[in-house]
Amino acid sequence: MLETKALTKKFKSYEAVSNVSLYLEEGESVGLLGPNGAGKSTTISMMSTLLPPTSGEVRYNGVDALNKPQELRRVLGVVPQEIALYEELTAYENMKFFGRIYGLKGQKLEQRIKEVLELIGLTERSKDRVETYSGGMKRRINIGVTLLHEPRVLIMDEPTVGIDPQSRNYILEMIRRLNREKDMTILYTSHYMEEVEKLCDRIYIMDHGEIIASGTNQELKNILANDETIRIDVETLSKDFADRLSSHDVVQKVTQEGTGYKVIATKGDDLLGDVFELAKRSHTKITSVVVQTPTLEDVFLHLTGRTLRD
Amino acid sequence: MLHLIKKDFQLLSRSRSDLMQLLLMPFLLIAILGFALGDLLSTGFSIEPFPVAVVEEQNEDEAEEAFENHLMAIGMGEAERAQLLAVTDELDPRDELFNVLESDEVSEWVTVSEMSSRTSAEEALEEGEVEGVIVIPEGFSENLWKTVLLNEQTVSELDLALVDFQSVPADILRSITRSFVDRFNLELSIALALEGEEETAAAANDYGEIVSLNAVEPITSFQYYTVGMGMMFALYTAPALASRAFKEKEQHVFGRLIVSGTRPINYLLSKLVSGMWITFVQVAILFGLSTLVFGTFSGRELSFWLDAGLATLILSFVVGAITSLLTSIALYSNSDATASTFDGLIVTLFAFLGGSFTPVEQFSESLKTLGNWTPNGAMMTSYLQLLQGFSLSEVSSLMVRVVIMAVVLAAMSIVIFPKRRLD
């Protein structure tokens, strides 16, 4: 339905996006996961026909969307990371304005405004100025405006940044419903792996402007099928202990997290026994040890040596 | 595009700071400057009477003799000739011109000295002894009599030489001489045709007053500052809208509009039209409010309001074009520095040059000339001249200049506007 081929964007000598090829099937929910600065926003700007690429293609149903953007724009909804609204206007006024821009009018427009306000749970506050809204409410109206013309493809750029857990859950549930009940095709970018895991059928992991892995949630985790993740909490953090862990034969990565360490190691060896031995030698008191199932965060750590929030 | 324009009005009406800047501040300044600087202005604006040389290339007796010869040449009988020659004694254009120039109203502005020849007068002009020369050419009176009394098609024109064609004295002299000849021809012909010869003398006697009223009406401090502040604060509309456009881009609203199918060029044109109509409404409110509160333009005829409406439309057009250019630059350079500079520096500079604070001709005539090349300055001069009773055709050259400026600025904005690069 929508695909990119070798999409590249250079800003002077800096290559923000390099050879990104990805695709979205109709009705699919696809995640684009990566840390800040990975090139996600630039990629979706090019996919939205807002930013011309340095090279590469964007195709919608086989048609070159860069040279003929009208067809894609007609069915496209883009939720930017920023609150792309007129905050001095009320939610209703914003919806009316953008609805008209999308070509809706009269009864149809009023009907859609009513439906979308109900969907995003802002009917009661529709006459209030957006500037008086909480962060979560602004995010909801930011999405709502994009839904007015019932887009077939919805591209969302980190739509839950900086909001409370309750609003976040509301938004995630809303997106899931749009995908499952309305059969809307969704490209969801985020650096929160839990959101992508929860919402998306397939995931692209991006770093330094490149796609470094792709597949379903399980396929990505299978990258770590031969590895295990061990979470070790200690009474006092010790550099000596961390160094001893890092130099162990089967240990691949050791990262400090809160009051302990996260260790990624090859499965099969009796690492746990050695962990206690190494702690004893470095006079470190272990308070807990948990063997975890690998997460997408672990996959990213494994692939890049960094965490998603770095 | 209407939705985009309506939205700009809506946003402006919600912004307290913009409303203060565009409406409240100029109104307060009109009040303060109008009251406080009223006397200062009248002192500053009144022009010292400037010297004008008048050269008569044919004296009255020679003119009458030439006219009599003409009457004989066309075969007019003696009795008729005597009757018409008697009228010429009463109807001497040369005397009428001197009556006008020496009338109370005009003598406040002009001191007249007679010179014997065109050459000596032009020398005096070159040496700066006089600011203008009016030459009554040979055949001037004769031609006027032929037109008025014999209904012959002749052309009577006074020759005018000026030091500076853009100066206020130049405007005054032009107005006096042009309307003198036009009205003399027109009104006396009508009077003769309708009322007979007895009425002619009366009409001629009234003429001096007509000229002096139409030449230059005094400008009150409230009129001056209502126009001055109107012109200055109209310019602020442009950076206010351009900064808003930049904010729209920063907050990705612009991107949202483009994805929704809005053509970039329509977006730019909407800024031009918004700038135009917001300025029109702003100036209309300021002029209206000033008239309501201070009686600034009370009692003006409908023709004045129509002319002022056209001038306001032209002013609005140029502000719309500036809005569009600043918007293009902001989106192209990805910065609203140009709009901020325009807001913080250029408006003040233009306002000074254009005479919004004080008439700059009191400092130098070159400043006035320079000011007339700023859109606000040119429009301010136009409004003031309309207030002084000049006709629209007399101020049209400055208005045409502003329209050309607006077209050039709008064209530049279209060229600069980033049609594809929307990052």
Side-chain angles (χ1 to χ4, degrees):
Chain A
M1 186 188 200
L2 182 62
E3 63 178 330
T4 72
K5 284 184 184 169
L7 213 50
T8 299
K9 182 68 189 178
K10 285 183 184 171
F11 295 104
K12 294 182 181 166
S13 59
Y14 173 66
E15 197 164 80
V17 173
S18 180
N19 276 311
V20 166
S21 297
L22 54 84
Y23 67 92
L24 283 84
E25 297 287 4
E26 186 149 14
E28 205 180 16
S29 174
V30 174
L32 191 56
L33 183 67
N36 291 328
K40 306 187 298 292
S41 295
T42 308
T43 302
I44 63 170
S45 286
M46 289 189 284
M47 291 178 75
S48 316
T49 72
L50 278 173
L51 180 65
T54 307
S55 63
E57 291 177 19
V58 177
R59 290 190 171 271
Y60 173 66
N61 287 338
V63 177
D64 182 354
L66 297 173
N67 288 321
K68 291 179 182 170
Q70 293 79 8
E71 202 177 327
L72 173 59
R73 284 177 181 175
R74 211 167 25 244
V75 297
L76 183 66
V78 180
V79 181
Q81 199 175 127
E82 297 75 13
I83 306 299
L85 298 167
Y86 298 106
E87 299 204 15
E88 303 94 321
L89 303 185
T90 66
Y92 175 81
E93 286 167 338
N94 268 290
M95 290 207 148
K96 198 156 187 176
F97 169 71
F98 283 104
R100 281 179 172 158
I101 292 289
Y102 282 122
L104 302 171
K105 51 189 165 186
Q107 272 303 109
K108 170 83 178 163
L109 174 60
E110 292 299 330
Q111 182 61 29
R112 280 302 296 154
I113 291 174
K114 192 170 169 240
E115 286 169 8
V116 172
L117 282 170
E118 275 171 22
L119 178 72
I120 61 177
L122 287 176
T123 307
E124 301 295 314
R125 298 284 310 270
S126 65
K127 303 289 181 195
D128 294 339
R129 290 190 189 190
V130 173
E131 63 196 1
T132 65
Y133 284 11
S134 68
M137 289 162 78
K138 285 181 182 175
R139 290 273 161 203
R140 272 141 68 188
I141 182 74
N142 201 32
I143 296 169
V145 161
T146 313
L147 300 175
L148 281 167
H149 66 303
E150 300 179 87
R152 299 303 310 140
V153 183
L154 187 61
I155 296 180
M156 309 180 92
D157 190 4
E158 309 236 17
T160 59
V161 166
I163 57 172
D164 58 279
Q166 197 185 349
S167 292
R168 193 175 171 194
N169 286 338
Y170 191 102
I171 288 172
L172 294 179
E173 192 49 43
M174 185 170 79
I175 296 166
R176 201 208 296 264
R177 279 173 56 200
L178 288 170
N179 176 237
R180 300 210 174 143
E181 294 170 16
K182 306 271 181 187
D183 206 27
M184 206 176 271
T185 306
I186 290 172
L187 177 63
Y188 188 94
T189 80
S190 179
H191 64 269
Y192 296 122
M193 57 109 191
E194 319 86 60
E195 292 183 355
V196 173
E197 269 185 304
K198 187 174 174 182
L199 286 175
C200 302
D201 306 321
R202 283 190 306 113
I203 298 158
Y204 290 91
I205 297 180
M206 218 176 160
D207 190 38
H208 293 308
E210 294 178 338
I211 301 285
I212 54 171
S214 66
T216 62
N217 191 5
Q218 197 50 52
E219 282 169 350
L220 287 171
K221 285 177 183 169
N222 283 346
I223 293 172
L224 297 181
N226 296 324
D227 298 334
E228 62 185 357
T229 305
I230 302 170
R231 164 88 205 175
I232 306 163
D233 282 317
V234 293
E235 204 169 67
T236 314
L237 292 170
S238 158
K239 186 174 181 308
D240 181 44
F241 179 51
D243 290 343
R244 284 173 193 273
L245 282 172
S246 298
S247 55
H248 191 282
D249 290 344
V250 299
V251 170
Q252 295 166 19
K253 291 268 182 319
V254 176
T255 47
Q256 188 195 314
E257 273 189 8
T259 57
Y261 302 95
K262 182 186 251 190
V263 177
I264 296 177
T266 309
K267 267 183 186 170
D269 292 296
D270 182 21
L271 178 61
L272 284 181
D274 292 347
V275 165
F276 285 103
E277 181 59 32
L278 293 172
K280 193 176 173 185
R281 279 190 209 159
S282 57
H283 307 292
T284 302
K285 190 173 177 187
I286 292 174
T287 55
S288 75
V289 175
V290 180
V291 179
Q292 297 175 326
T293 312
T295 63
L296 288 178
E297 180 83 45
D298 299 330
V299 174
F300 188 80
L301 185 66
H302 171 79
L303 293 171
T304 67
R306 293 179 294 115
T307 66
L308 278 164
R309 286 166 186 79
D310 278 347
Chain B
M1 194 159 76
L2 277 177
H3 316 310
L4 292 167
I5 296 162
K6 188 183 164 197
K7 174 262 305 169
D8 280 337
F9 266 88
Q10 230 173 354
L11 288 173
L12 196 74
S13 69
R14 301 280 165 89
S15 166
R16 215 172 283 173
S17 59
D18 282 346
L19 286 178
M20 275 178 66
Q21 187 183 30
L22 300 182
L23 289 174
L24 187 63
M25 273 185 57
F27 186 71
L28 287 178
L29 283 168
I30 290 167
I32 293 165
L33 294 169
F35 281 121
L37 300 180
D39 292 340
L40 203 67
L41 174 74
S42 58
T43 314
F45 194 62
S46 69
I47 298 166
E48 289 293 309
F50 55 89
V52 174
V54 177
V55 179
E56 222 181 333
E57 293 193 322
Q58 187 179 39
N59 67 33
E60 196 178 338
D61 293 340
E62 289 166 348
E64 278 187 21
E65 194 183 327
F67 187 59
E68 189 177 2
N69 289 340
H70 177 72
L71 295 178
M72 284 193 287
I74 61 171
M76 188 174 280
E78 195 175 339
E80 264 185 298
R81 278 209 315 270
Q83 202 178 4
L84 284 180
L85 286 172
V87 174
T88 60
D89 287 339
E90 295 291 323
L91 193 64
D92 185 349
R94 176 228 175 247
D95 285 349
E96 288 306 321
L97 178 63
F98 274 96
N99 283 344
V100 170
L101 291 173
E102 287 163 3
S103 67
D104 288 345
E105 291 86 353
V106 178
S107 61
E108 279 181 34
W109 306 89
V110 175
T111 54
V112 179
S113 56
E114 286 191 63
M115 289 201 178
S116 55
S117 71
R118 186 187 284 258
T119 320
S120 57
E122 283 175 354
E123 277 171 13
L125 185 70
E126 273 178 30
E127 284 166 19
E129 291 169 17
V130 293
E131 292 214 40
V133 176
I134 300 172
V135 178
I136 306 172
E138 192 174 340
F140 176 78
S141 299
E142 186 191 347
N143 285 340
L144 268 176
W145 288 324
K146 284 178 186 171
T147 307
V148 174
L149 302 175
L150 303 175
N151 203 24
E152 291 181 11
Q153 296 296 312
T154 59
V155 177
S156 305
E157 282 189 347
L158 294 170
D159 290 345
L160 190 61
L162 299 161
V163 172
D164 178 358
F165 281 81
Q166 295 288 339
S167 66
V168 172
D171 287 339
I172 293 168
L173 270 187
R174 259 199 300 271
S175 170
I176 292 171
T177 54
R178 192 180 306 158
S179 56
F180 173 79
V181 175
D182 290 348
R183 285 178 182 265
F184 201 96
N185 279 334
L186 178 69
E187 292 185 9
L188 293 185
S189 298
I190 293 168
L192 275 172
L194 297 179
E195 308 291 343
E197 290 165 19
E198 292 79 9
E199 297 293 324
T200 310
N205 286 338
D206 289 343
Y207 181 70
E209 288 174 25
I210 295 167
V211 168
S212 62
L213 279 174
N214 281 330
V216 273
E217 284 186 35
I219 301 278
T220 68
S221 58
F222 276 105
Q223 287 172 339
Y224 187 88
Y225 284 115
T226 299
V227 174
M229 292 301 114
M231 298 307 100
M232 177 180 172
F233 282 84
L235 290 180
Y236 281 119
T237 302
L241 283 177
S243 295
R244 212 172 266 284
F246 178 69
K247 197 174 154 195
E248 282 178 332
K249 188 188 175 193
E250 283 284 287
Q251 293 181 339
H252 293 241
V253 176
F254 178 63
R256 180 167 254 169
L257 294 174
I258 300 304
V259 170
S260 71
T262 304
R263 292 175 63 203
I265 195 72
N266 283 353
Y267 174 82
L268 182 67
L269 290 178
S270 79
K271 292 294 170 198
L272 190 151
V273 179
S274 293
M276 196 171 156
W277 286 116
I278 287 169
T279 304
F280 193 88
V281 172
Q282 177 198 15
V283 173
I285 290 175
L286 279 178
F287 281 24
L289 210 56
S290 181
T291 301
L292 274 177
V293 179
F294 308 119
T296 307
F297 305 115
S298 298
R300 290 277 165 176
E301 287 176 9
L302 179 66
S303 61
F304 165 78
W305 287 108
L306 290 176
D307 292 349
L310 178 68
T312 308
L313 205 59
I314 291 170
L315 171 78
S316 305
F317 181 33
V318 79
V319 175
I322 297 171
T323 306
S324 151
L325 181 63
L326 291 177
T327 300
S328 281
I329 294 172
L331 297 196
Y332 179 80
S333 62
N334 216 6
S335 152
D336 67 346
T338 310
S340 303
T341 308
F342 190 88
D343 184 271
L345 188 68
I346 296 176
V347 171
T348 314
L349 183 67
F350 275 21
F352 170 73
L353 288 174
S356 284
F357 303 120
T358 186
V360 285
E361 54 265 36
Q362 63 186 318
F363 305 121
S364 113
E365 277 303 323
S366 336
L367 269 184
K368 177 68 183 168
T369 308
L370 193 62
N372 278 344
W373 281 99
T374 62
N376 55 308
M379 288 316 300
M380 181 154 178
T381 305
S382 303
Y383 278 109
L384 292 180
Q385 288 183 342
L386 288 175
L387 278 168
Q388 288 174 300
F390 285 66
S391 68
L392 194 60
S393 60
E394 283 170 310
V395 300
S396 62
S397 63
L398 282 175
M399 290 194 187
V400 169
R401 181 187 292 180
V402 176
V403 171
I404 292 169
M405 279 184 207
V407 170
V408 170
L409 293 173
M412 280 168 68
S413 74
I414 292 171
V415 172
I416 294 170
F417 191 70
K419 287 150 201 80
R420 288 294 316 264
R421 204 180 71 87
L422 305 170
D423 51 311

